[in-house]
Amino acid sequence: MAAENPRWGHRRIHGELTRLGHKIAASTVWNILNQAAIDLAPRRSGPIWKQFLTAQAEHIVAVDSCMWTPSISHAYMP
């Protein structure tokens, strides 16, 4: 599976094995791949999710506030 999908990491392989009905821990998959000297998928070089959200927070809030659309019930409120 690792040879056919070189961009997959041990967690993705673990997930696919679990989906196929095999009960195995993610750490076991990592150990097997490590002992077989199979290179795992490289880490992404981009920011982690928390860093991305922190950098974009101002713009996310601005877009969210622009997305509010008044409905008919708001137009006829006394």
Side-chain angles (χ1 to χ4, degrees):
M1 192 177 287
E4 294 172 5
N5 304 290
R7 297 184 69 178
W8 287 8
H10 72 284
R11 292 193 184 273
R12 173 73 185 267
I13 293 171
H14 169 258
E16 291 297 318
L17 290 171
T18 302
R19 189 177 63 80
L20 294 171
H22 299 284
K23 293 183 179 183
I24 187 169
S27 59
T28 303
V29 173
W30 183 86
N31 285 330
I32 292 169
L33 293 174
N34 198 27
Q35 289 173 359
I38 297 175
D39 289 332
L40 301 176
R43 288 261 179 211
R44 291 188 177 96
S45 60
I48 61 173
W49 187 242
K50 183 177 179 181
Q51 292 169 332
F52 172 78
L53 287 178
T54 302
Q56 300 299 324
E58 180 181 330
H59 303 291
I60 292 171
V61 172
V63 170
D64 188 39
S65 64
C66 293
M67 299 301 289
W68 180 78
T69 304
S71 65
I72 294 173
S73 62
H74 289 103
Y76 294 105
M77 292 178 73

